[in-house]
Amino acid sequence: MLVFAVIASLLASYVLSTARPAEAAGTLLSQGKPTTASTAENAGTPATAATDGDLGTRWSSTFADPQWVQVDLGATAAIDRVVLNWESAYGTAFRIETSGDGAAWTPIYTTTTGQGGVQSLAVTGNGRYVRLTGTTRATGYGYSLWEFQVYGTTGGGPVGATPISQFKQVAASSWEGGNAPAAALDGRSGTRWSSQHGSDPQWLRVDFGATATINRVSLTWEAAYAKGYRIEVSTDGNAWTSIYSTTTGAGGTENLTVSGTGRYLRFYGTARATGYGYSLWEFQVFGTIDESATTAPLLSGPTKAPAATGRFALTAPADNAMITTTRRPAFSWAAVGGAVRYQVWLNVSRTDYDFAASGNLIDLYTKVAETTGTTYTPTWDISDRWTYRWYVVAVDGANATSASNIRTFSLYLPTLTTVDDGVRTVNGSRDLNKNGTIEPYEDWRQPVETRVNDLLGRMTIEEKAYQMFYNAQQFPQSGWHFGPAEAQDLHTVLRSGAGTRLGIPTVSAGDTIHGYKTTYPTQSALAAAKNYPLDYKLGDMQRREQLEVGTRGVLGPLAEVGTKVLYPRIQEGNGESAEVAAAQVRALVAGLQGGPELNPGSVLATVKHWPGEGAGGEALIVYDQVTVKYHMIPFRAAMEAGAVNIMPGYAGSSLIDPGGPGAGDSAKILAYLRQNLGFTGLITTDWLPSGSWIGAANAGSDVMGGADPGAVGFTIAGFTANVPAARINDAVRRVLRLKFQLGIFENPYGDPVNGPYRFHTPAYTALANQASREAMTLLKNNGTLPVRLNAGDNIVVAGPRANDTAACCIWTSFLHQEYGSQTMLEAIRTRAAQAGVNVYQDTGPAPKLAVVAVGETSYTHATSWVKEQPYLPADQLALIQNFQRQGIPVVVALVMPRPYVITEWNDLASSIVVTYRGGEEMGPAFAGLLFGDYTPKGKLPWQLPRSLADVLRPGGSDIPADATEHWDLPYDLGATAAQRAEIRARIDADQPVPSTYGNPLYPFGAGLTNW
């Protein structure tokens, strides 16, 4: 009976997990199809049992890693969901992969945190074969699946699936005007590539980044089409093989069934149908990409090294070797008596670290191989990085283990830029000083410190000083450019560095603190979601967008804990919890820098504002020797994630430098960073006036943030006369080190022509939307939400934020309205139309519901209204009151970038949804919540005061003497003296502080998560 009860329970959970309309998948394709596996535990648990539709039978493997089970669907399918119905022996780490031929595999889902049970996985991929590869077992047994179900569509090939060519790197023989090559790969019907008029042949080439198996090509022509052309593939971009050829092209949309394999595919036009060039709205390639050659095998979760190492020796690569000739170096080690196999562990970069855990991310290792021999050569290309660490574990027949010593190596194998900037390539390196020979600083095969020392020795004192300044657009010898700039303007600035005497490249950095071209929610909103892997993805998304056009820095993220209600820039920080702040700063830094260390694929993160302005603001930081511990937690976390650039803020510190200047020109505050936190990286000041630059440099700042060497009354000669040469050398050494680590001496540019077409992709929009959805916080709901109105019913949307295009975002993060982002009013109209509900602005006939969007529009250092009045102004309050008096249920959409007092109208609202600054998808995300498209998840990142008296004395202003909250303490609104003493005691003892202190109207973490 127990067996049947278990099966019934599994069946019930399966039905629940697959019956949700929001997650509907395509047709079940796998049932009854040919299924094979790496092993089977016994004859009673064959591979076919996982696809037979019988919940009483199962496949189970033998007790070892890795293991796989695969199903042959019989034809190419577009796969949209995989359901795994685990028995108790499940996998914690596994991949779902697809293949066109059963040989080359492409991962479409990877995890190291599998929970067992029934897992319904939304995926996107194409292939005839689908495989689950388990790499880490949750138990000492094998892998065991009741059912392995694959959903999707077949028939007619991968029509409707995502092209493997979309947003890939592209080149062309020519292009006309703004009709760039990448316009044919962007999935947008209003953009096109066109070649120059009047000549044949012309070509358009796609680089898939790895070997692709191609089965269809679709060409959507503008009027200027090709009569004669070939479709060709290549493994190296040089030798081409034709897989389709015609001399009777008909234009329109041509869907070509083809068969070919290669990393590159190109259209090669030989005969135009018109007197113009070739013009394609879209050039789409379908098939699968085998990313195994560029993806490290993750056979374990990220793990610390064993406590005991050094039991046997590693032999190659040599310790501290710099590998510059291969991406697949051979590893070898001494044999260990009695060992039956060896595990190779390497600190590869990952996306799934436990960002809430303390410790340096670079010291976490992944098992990448198991072998019976004493050598291993990677099957994938190791990416460029300066600090790889590795060790080997020997395993004997009784599964006892011993670990080798740990060695370090670096790997750098750049493909040099091909931009015509006057710099020639000599002996495989860029001849930056144009003297016909390669100096050590120009030779990328040399260690970074060798290059730094050589270049520093060639520079004049003026050239060195310029590296400490911004405004490269006016002074090409400057080290820094203040961005963001549009692609072509930025490219012009970056190219100007090549014309200087030594050809030192510029770094462009801007205040794009919550997105570059795709704008995600501010950090305080992310703190409401607490989805740290998503934070990593957002940082990585921003990194990828910036790399497209060569902007290599960002003046963020913030490592501040917001414990002062009246601090205007609390909106940019991480909420009130130091632990949340630490986790999401780790995630954002790692995402922006593409791993736990600055590398040639990074965007340089600038962590700010040291030493933590959330405890007082830009005038004065008020923490003491106890509470300083709390506010240092996220800065330490940033360093653990690999941050090497920190920005001091404007505020001074009553603890570190009593009565002294702001942090950027306080020697004591900067010394605290160096000595107490052990920071060895770059210090970039906030935007200081020219009169402060000499003092800031002498205090220990390395780069003068935003500083213009052409400022009135300032000269570089005056700077070098008043700042010691040793101090300048110290600063410039750090600047040059970071520039070499970024690889910009080899690749200083992006792609200003095609890069912008890879901004704001659907996948990026989806990430921004997910982040905004997860941040949305439902504070109150009396049953009004979700909206369940009848077709023909009316909604009124009112309030100053309803159609405000700026309220979602701050600073210089760009928002592309033309790509579909909507205000709350626009998004509600769009969503309501699906339900047949009418939407009126401000007023309308017989409304069944009023949505009132209130709060502050975009601001930076100030607030939209007096900061000592953190509550809705009278005109916004009146909107809520007026609808409520008419008996119309009111949903308040609250744009709340800082904690407000909402007591006055809390009881008037039927429902309250906090949007924070939700990024460009704030409108669509709010509309989705309104109509119940998803369940709310967000939780308040701060306490909300019951009254202004929790914050200020009556008639008080923003000074410590008038404060009733303690600016440096978390969770203390309305707290007693005894509670504040407990908070301090916990901080002093390095213990987490519970969020339950005080007497707020809404506590930290408030938020409904169901209807």
Side-chain angles (χ1 to χ4, degrees):
M1 292 299 293
L2 177 61
V3 172
F4 290 108
V6 169
I7 294 173
S9 174
L10 288 167
L11 180 59
S13 64
Y14 169 76
V15 170
L16 287 173
S17 70
T18 58
R20 291 171 288 185
E23 296 184 351
T27 304
L28 176 59
L29 304 175
S30 52
Q31 193 157 305
K33 294 297 196 304
T35 306
T36 55
S38 51
T39 63
E41 181 184 358
N42 55 57
T45 59
T48 53
T51 54
D52 62 1
D54 184 351
L55 288 174
T57 63
R58 62 186 175 93
W59 163 71
S60 62
S61 73
T62 56
F63 307 165
D65 287 312
Q67 299 287 341
W68 54 262
V69 60
Q70 76 180 45
V71 58
D72 178 0
L73 303 178
T76 299
I79 298 147
D80 55 36
R81 186 161 302 278
V82 171
V83 175
L84 306 173
N85 191 341
W86 295 100
E87 195 247 3
S88 56
Y90 64 93
T92 57
F94 61 85
R95 301 188 301 271
I96 304 297
E97 303 167 303
T98 60
S99 175
D101 57 5
W105 294 91
T106 299
I108 60 173
Y109 179 87
T110 301
T111 185
T112 58
T113 57
Q115 299 297 310
V118 177
Q119 293 181 270
S120 181
L121 310 175
V123 296
T124 300
N126 297 298
R128 172 174 172 169
Y129 302 87
V130 181
R131 178 171 75 179
L132 174 139
T133 299
T135 54
T136 304
R137 290 164 289 134
T139 71
Y141 299 98
Y143 297 87
S144 183
L145 281 165
W146 295 107
E147 283 295 301
F148 175 42
Q149 297 180 314
V150 179
Y151 292 80
T153 55
T154 56
V159 177
T162 301
I164 61 172
S165 52
Q166 198 165 86
F167 304 111
K168 290 295 191 293
Q169 296 295 313
V170 61
S173 52
S174 68
W175 63 90
E176 175 191 42
N179 298 322
L185 308 181
D186 66 355
R188 299 174 181 123
S189 60
T191 62
R192 62 187 174 93
W193 164 66
S194 62
S195 68
Q196 292 178 352
H197 292 181
S199 64
D200 288 312
Q202 298 285 342
W203 52 265
L204 179 76
R205 184 188 70 200
V206 183
D207 178 359
F208 301 113
T211 300
T213 301
I214 299 139
N215 53 37
R216 189 167 69 93
V217 174
S218 178
L219 303 94
T220 304
W221 292 101
E222 195 246 2
Y225 66 95
K227 290 181 64 178
Y229 64 90
R230 301 192 297 269
I231 303 297
E232 302 173 315
V233 293
S234 173
T235 59
D236 59 5
N238 295 311
W240 295 91
T241 300
S242 178
I243 60 173
Y244 179 86
S245 180
T246 186
T247 57
T248 58
T253 297
E254 297 183 90
N255 289 309
L256 312 176
T257 299
V258 297
S259 179
T261 301
R263 172 172 171 166
Y264 302 89
L265 181 143
R266 76 177 177 184
F267 156 83
Y268 194 86
T270 56
R272 290 164 291 122
T274 71
Y276 299 98
Y278 299 92
S279 184
L280 281 165
W281 292 111
E282 282 297 302
F283 181 60
Q284 298 177 318
V285 183
F286 296 87
T288 58
I289 300 175
D290 180 8
E291 296 179 340
S292 61
T294 55
T295 303
L298 305 179
L299 304 182
S300 73
T303 306
K304 292 182 179 179
T309 58
R311 301 296 177 85
F312 60 96
L314 305 176
T315 54
D319 200 17
N320 296 311
M322 184 175 180
I323 297 170
T324 60
T325 58
T326 178
R327 293 199 176 279
R328 300 186 180 189
F331 296 87
S332 60
W333 53 90
V336 176
V340 297
R341 65 181 187 276
Y342 298 91
Q343 301 170 346
V344 182
W345 294 78
L346 180 65
N347 64 339
V348 295
S349 296
R350 304 181 63 122
T351 65
D352 60 347
Y353 299 108
D354 180 357
F355 295 106
S358 60
N360 293 329
L361 296 182
I362 204 166
D363 291 329
L364 295 175
Y365 296 82
T366 298
K367 182 172 66 173
V368 296
E370 285 203 29
T371 179
T372 57
T374 57
T375 63
Y376 170 68
T377 300
T379 57
W380 85 99
D381 293 340
I382 299 178
S383 60
D384 293 332
R385 233 182 58 197
W386 306 107
T387 312
Y388 279 110
R389 294 174 183 151
W390 68 290
Y391 63 89
V392 174
V393 171
V395 184
D396 66 17
N399 283 328
T401 61
S402 60
S404 73
N405 58 318
I406 298 174
R407 276 191 173 180
T408 300
F409 68 91
S410 64
L411 191 149
Y412 188 40
L413 191 57
T415 300
L416 302 187
T417 185
T418 56
V419 172
D420 183 12
D421 59 358
V423 175
R424 295 184 302 131
T425 298
V426 176
N427 296 329
S429 293
R430 282 167 53 82
D431 181 17
L432 297 164
N433 64 3
K434 308 172 192 67
N435 68 352
T437 62
I438 295 303
E439 318 293 354
Y441 86 91
E442 298 166 325
D443 185 357
W444 55 267
R445 298 168 184 85
Q446 297 295 321
V448 167
E449 291 306 311
T450 299
R451 301 180 74 182
V452 170
N453 291 334
D454 180 70
L455 180 53
L456 201 63
R458 297 174 187 275
M459 299 171 72
T460 67
I461 191 67
E462 290 81 10
E463 287 172 327
K464 293 175 183 176
Y466 270 112
Q467 286 297 306
M468 301 171 70
F469 285 82
Y470 272 72
N471 202 11
Q473 53 268 55
Q474 296 296 323
F475 299 91
Q477 64 271 49
S478 293
W480 305 81
H481 165 259
F482 180 50
E486 293 299 339
Q488 287 293 347
D489 293 337
L490 173 63
H491 192 62
T492 299
V493 171
L494 296 178
R495 283 191 58 171
S496 67
T500 60
R501 185 178 75 91
L502 294 169
I504 303 174
T506 292
V507 172
S508 177
D511 272 307
T512 49
I513 63 172
H514 63 127
Y516 180 58
K517 291 290 187 176
T518 303
T519 312
Y520 50 85
T522 52
Q523 285 178 230
S524 54
L526 297 180
K530 299 181 184 64
N531 185 341
Y532 310 127
L534 177 60
D535 297 341
Y536 176 93
K537 292 179 182 178
L538 295 171
D540 182 66
M541 172 186 73
Q542 180 169 350
R543 177 182 71 90
R544 293 172 185 274
E545 286 196 332
Q546 292 195 209
L547 289 177
E548 292 290 356
V549 291
T551 173
R552 299 299 299 275
V554 57
L555 302 177
L558 277 76
E560 293 182 0
V561 188
T563 54
K564 178 191 174 186
V565 168
L566 295 184
Y567 177 37
R569 297 182 72 177
I570 196 173
Q571 65 173 337
E572 300 170 52
N574 302 277
E576 206 165 352
S577 165
E579 290 75 21
V580 171
Q584 66 184 35
V585 168
R586 278 192 196 94
L588 287 167
V589 168
L592 287 164
Q593 297 192 166
E597 178 186 52
L598 196 71
N599 64 75
S602 294
V603 163
L604 175 65
T606 306
V607 178
K608 60 187 186 184
H609 299 92
W610 172 260
E613 291 179 351
E618 293 182 336
L620 180 66
I621 299 170
V622 300
Y623 48 60
D624 57 26
Q625 59 188 347
V626 171
T627 55
V628 66
K629 294 181 179 182
Y630 192 77
H631 291 269
M632 290 301 100
I633 290 171
F635 282 99
R636 295 182 188 277
M639 293 167 58
E640 290 177 342
V644 288
N645 190 14
I646 289 180
M647 176 182 285
Y650 293 122
S653 168
S654 59
L655 170 68
I656 303 173
D657 191 1
D665 48 7
S666 166
K668 292 181 179 179
I669 293 175
L670 300 185
Y672 190 96
L673 176 60
R674 296 279 188 215
Q675 296 165 13
N676 291 61
L677 270 72
F679 182 66
T680 60
L682 195 71
I683 296 176
T684 299
T685 74
D686 211 328
W687 270 218
L688 299 176
S690 59
S692 297
W693 298 338
I694 290 172
N698 284 327
S701 292
D702 301 315
V703 174
M704 308 300 109
D708 180 1
V712 175
F714 177 83
T715 64
I716 286 290
F719 184 83
T720 58
N722 288 280
V723 179
R727 172 79 272 272
I728 292 174
N729 283 340
D730 179 51
V732 177
R733 179 178 295 277
R734 291 191 181 93
V735 172
L736 297 180
R737 181 180 295 123
L738 297 192
K739 288 187 174 185
F740 283 120
Q741 289 172 335
L742 283 170
I744 59 174
F745 283 81
E746 287 67 59
N747 285 290
Y749 314 116
D751 183 349
V753 173
N754 296 302
Y757 288 92
R758 293 186 284 267
F759 294 154
H760 210 281
T761 70
Y764 294 167
T765 303
L767 279 178
N769 185 274
Q770 180 186 352
S772 189
R773 285 184 173 211
E774 294 191 7
M776 293 277 164
T777 302
L778 182 62
L779 276 188
K780 176 184 178 182
N781 186 29
N782 66 0
T784 308
L785 297 182
V787 172
R788 292 289 184 261
L789 299 180
N790 297 320
D793 286 342
N794 299 332
I795 292 176
V796 169
V797 179
R801 303 289 78 82
N803 210 29
D804 184 348
T805 59
C808 66
C809 310
I810 57 174
W811 283 81
T812 50
S813 293
F814 281 87
L815 172 65
H816 283 259
Q817 292 284 354
E818 68 271 23
Y819 291 162
S821 297
Q822 298 176 311
T823 64
M824 284 191 276
L825 173 63
E826 293 166 340
I828 293 169
R829 278 181 170 153
T830 299
R831 180 60 183 85
Q834 298 174 23
V837 173
N838 305 311
V839 174
Y840 296 87
Q841 186 173 6
D842 298 331
T843 185
K848 296 293 182 68
L849 182 71
V851 178
V852 182
V854 293
E856 290 174 277
T857 192
S858 184
Y859 62 78
T860 52
H861 293 259
T863 55
S864 293
W865 53 79
V866 178
K867 68 176 180 295
E868 289 86 356
Q869 298 173 359
Y871 45 79
L872 294 184
D875 59 335
Q876 296 190 24
L877 174 61
L879 288 170
I880 299 171
Q881 292 171 330
N882 290 341
F883 283 112
Q884 193 270 342
R885 287 190 191 110
Q886 297 174 58
I888 302 170
V890 179
V891 175
V892 175
L894 183 60
V895 178
M896 188 174 69
R898 56 183 175 131
Y900 290 163
V901 178
I902 68 170
T903 307
E904 188 173 9
W905 55 267
N906 181 60
D907 291 339
L908 304 180
S910 297
S911 301
I912 302 172
V913 179
V914 183
T915 70
Y916 311 96
R917 296 218 187 281
E920 63 179 59
E921 285 292 299
M922 184 175 80
F926 173 73
L929 180 64
L930 194 69
F931 283 89
D933 295 340
Y934 63 96
T935 304
K937 293 182 178 180
K939 301 292 186 70
L940 273 181
W942 323 281
Q943 295 177 321
L944 294 191
R946 285 189 177 275
S947 71
L948 188 57
D950 289 344
V951 180
L952 282 178
R953 292 187 175 94
S957 61
D958 185 19
I959 59 174
D962 287 343
T964 55
E965 66 161 330
H966 286 205
W967 289 355
D968 57 339
L969 287 180
Y971 319 127
D972 78 321
L973 292 181
T976 64
Q979 286 179 318
R980 289 190 171 112
E982 285 185 29
I983 295 171
R984 290 178 55 82
R986 284 184 170 273
I987 293 171
D988 198 28
D990 299 319
Q991 295 175 348
V993 180
S995 60
T996 52
Y997 291 104
N999 185 32
L1001 178 67
Y1002 285 101
F1004 174 92
L1008 304 175
T1009 55
N1010 56 58
W1011 299 118

